[in-house]
Amino acid sequence: MVDEVLGSRPDSRVQASPPTDGTTRGIAAPQGFSVRYSPAGLAGHWHDVAFLADGRVGVLVGRCADGEADGETASRFRSAARSVLLATADPVRTLDGVTESAVSALCAVIDEHNVGYSTHGDASATVSAPEAPYFALDPTDGRLGTAELTPGATVLLCTAPVGPAANALDGSESVHPDEVADEVMTRIAGPGVAAVLYRHPPEPLTITLAAEPASLAVSRGRLRRWLASAGVDTEVGADVLLAVGEATANATEHAVLGANRDVIITVTAALSSRCLRLAVSDNGVWKSVTGLPGHRGHGIRLINALVDSAELVTTAEGTTVEMVKELRP
Amino acid sequence: MTDARFAVTAANGDQPPLVVVSGDIDLANVDEFQETMTEACNGSAALTVDLTGVNYCDSAAVRALFSLAAGTTLTMLVRPVGHIKTLLGISGLDRVATVVMRG
């Protein structure tokens, strides 16, 4: 059943003390996830993000509240819970073994449309959908809770109640989840926490514009904002912006030559489980790549270097450049 | 609309003329980019172009830089991370001009 475990803290045991530099931004997390520990929350707190064999994603957050034995208790519970999660993909069974009152934990399993979860103690889950107020999920104490995830929804899983800090989620759907997570952590007061923030894939993007140079900046701005809302890593996003920009510029320059109609360019972007699918279509007339000297061949070469696959499909109706960019992991 | 700003400093002693660019460069303003560089160069044997303030540029800008590098000794200042460094590497512009990492 075990596929792979990603996004864990580098050390499989729970750290007993905060890192000396006090920063937690460098914790690796898969596409769509941001992980934060408040400096005071490093002792006895942990998280795991795991890809389950059925394609869903499991998330665990937990803490052990007091005493010198925190680190050891937390470490023992964490490894047991992770094993059950990977074996069963069941949030309730994952937390079955948690009876210590000092431990708070939450297990969530996320699929295409829902989050199923179970809680123990006062670990909290908050869901925010675009253009709707956020809401805290009820504690389940041994039962299974579920909530629907609409496109672009944000889920905040935390080792403690987040209180008014959850206000940071309202209206945040267009903000990169890394920045939302930073804002949440800035607002959380009191004892330390570990938090995992997840952004569900947003609605696919469709941009339709006239094939003219002035459209390029408009298209680029909208794609840039969509990539942020989708939680795409900044460096990956820059590659995608350039690849799509090249395809759009090529269409703007060449599709209009010899076309007997106004040429329209359509840019689409969609985030699926682990890749971005991008397409730039025009209804103009492209000459074949081999028939063109220099620049267009150069643009295509650039696109090929920036994305994982690119295909040029030409019909009598126009041309489409289809691109796929794989995402971490 | 694509927005870029160009600041030109004339040659001074041993220092070649300098063009500092910020903003975005694409098909919409690449002609202005090329004309600014050509005028700044004004027959000088060398030109420095500071691209560290550029948020976005594509192969249209690369073509303009290639064309300039054919007639003068071109030095470009770019940030050590980001897509412009990638762009220069893939296009081969870094083999006909000097690229200096800055910032």
Side-chain angles (χ1 to χ4, degrees):
Chain A
M1 284 292 281
V2 176
D3 185 5
E4 53 190 329
V5 181
L6 285 151
S8 302
R9 304 253 292 279
D11 182 353
S12 65
R13 292 173 299 118
V14 176
Q15 283 175 299
S17 59
T20 49
D21 64 359
T23 175
T24 63
R25 281 213 63 164
I27 296 171
Q31 157 64 33
F33 288 88
S34 298
V35 176
R36 299 288 183 275
Y37 284 67
S38 57
L42 281 160
H45 290 243
W46 74 93
H47 85 280
D48 275 300
V49 178
F51 290 100
L52 307 173
D54 58 10
R56 296 185 296 165
V57 181
V59 184
L60 269 168
V61 295
R63 81 175 201 273
C64 191
D66 48 37
E68 285 295 307
D70 282 5
E72 200 186 322
T73 307
S75 181
R76 194 177 65 243
F77 169 68
R78 175 192 177 181
S79 60
R82 185 171 55 189
S83 301
V84 180
L85 173 62
L86 289 168
T88 68
D90 181 337
V92 173
R93 289 173 66 184
T94 298
L95 296 192
D96 258 354
V98 193
T99 50
E100 294 94 334
S101 60
V103 172
S104 281
L106 185 147
C107 178
V109 173
I110 295 164
D111 65 26
E112 211 175 317
H113 303 291
N114 296 287
V115 53
Y117 70 101
S118 178
T119 64
H120 176 82
D122 62 359
S124 71
T126 312
V127 173
S128 170
E131 293 168 30
Y134 71 83
F135 57 96
L137 299 184
D138 294 329
T140 66
D141 292 320
R143 289 169 293 108
L144 179 70
T146 57
E148 188 192 357
L149 294 180
T150 54
T154 303
V155 184
L156 174 65
L157 307 168
C158 192
T159 52
V162 290
N167 284 328
L169 300 182
D170 266 344
S172 68
E173 64 265 18
S174 59
V175 182
H176 195 290
D178 283 348
E179 292 175 34
V180 180
D182 286 342
E183 183 59 29
V184 168
M185 296 306 283
T186 304
R187 295 184 187 206
I188 286 180
V193 294
V196 174
L197 189 123
Y198 167 72
R199 173 67 50 78
H200 208 48
E203 292 280 11
L205 175 72
T206 301
I207 307 168
T208 305
L209 291 162
E212 56 190 38
S215 296
L216 295 174
V218 178
S219 164
R220 196 161 59 238
R222 291 183 59 188
L223 179 59
R224 186 181 275 132
R225 287 192 291 279
W226 184 87
L227 289 166
S229 75
V232 173
D233 171 79
T234 312
E235 291 279 310
V236 173
D239 286 353
V240 168
L241 273 180
L242 183 53
V244 171
E246 283 294 332
T248 314
N250 280 349
T252 302
E253 256 192 317
H254 299 285
V256 294
L257 301 175
N260 57 1
R261 55 195 164 199
D262 287 343
V263 177
I264 299 296
I265 293 175
T266 305
V267 177
T268 60
L271 176 62
S272 67
S273 55
R274 298 188 198 177
C275 70
L276 277 170
R277 293 183 185 281
L278 309 139
V280 178
S281 314
D282 65 70
N283 61 342
V285 183
W286 273 46
K287 295 167 191 161
S288 75
V289 174
T290 50
L292 274 171
H295 156 245
R296 178 185 285 170
H298 176 69
I300 297 287
R301 201 166 59 243
L302 191 55
I303 290 168
N304 278 323
L306 292 164
V307 295
D308 295 284
S309 78
E311 197 174 347
L312 188 70
V313 182
T314 305
T315 69
E317 300 306 310
T319 303
T320 300
V321 181
E322 293 174 352
M323 294 164 277
V324 176
K325 182 77 174 174
E326 307 286 347
L327 299 169
R328 195 170 60 218
Chain B
M1 194 60 195
T2 307
D3 188 24
R5 287 162 303 285
F6 306 99
V8 179
T9 307
N12 183 7
D14 292 344
Q15 294 294 313
L18 169 71
V19 178
V20 180
V21 190
S22 57
D24 288 13
I25 305 167
D26 62 22
L27 276 182
N29 62 354
V30 69
D31 289 348
E32 188 191 353
F33 176 52
Q34 181 143 16
E35 282 160 21
T36 304
M37 289 192 297
T38 306
E39 281 173 25
C41 198
N42 191 24
S44 169
L47 177 73
T48 302
V49 181
D50 183 342
L51 299 170
T52 55
V54 172
N55 293 322
Y56 178 88
C57 71
D58 60 12
S59 63
V62 167
R63 266 180 292 165
L65 289 161
F66 260 117
S67 128
L68 206 83
T72 190
T73 302
L74 180 65
T75 302
M76 292 173 293
L77 311 181
V78 301
R79 284 195 296 258
V81 293
H83 85 283
I84 294 173
K85 180 168 165 278
T86 312
L87 181 64
L88 300 185
I90 295 169
S91 65
L93 189 59
D94 59 354
R95 291 191 289 275
V96 299
T98 305
V99 178
V100 179
M101 300 299 164
R102 195 58 74 74

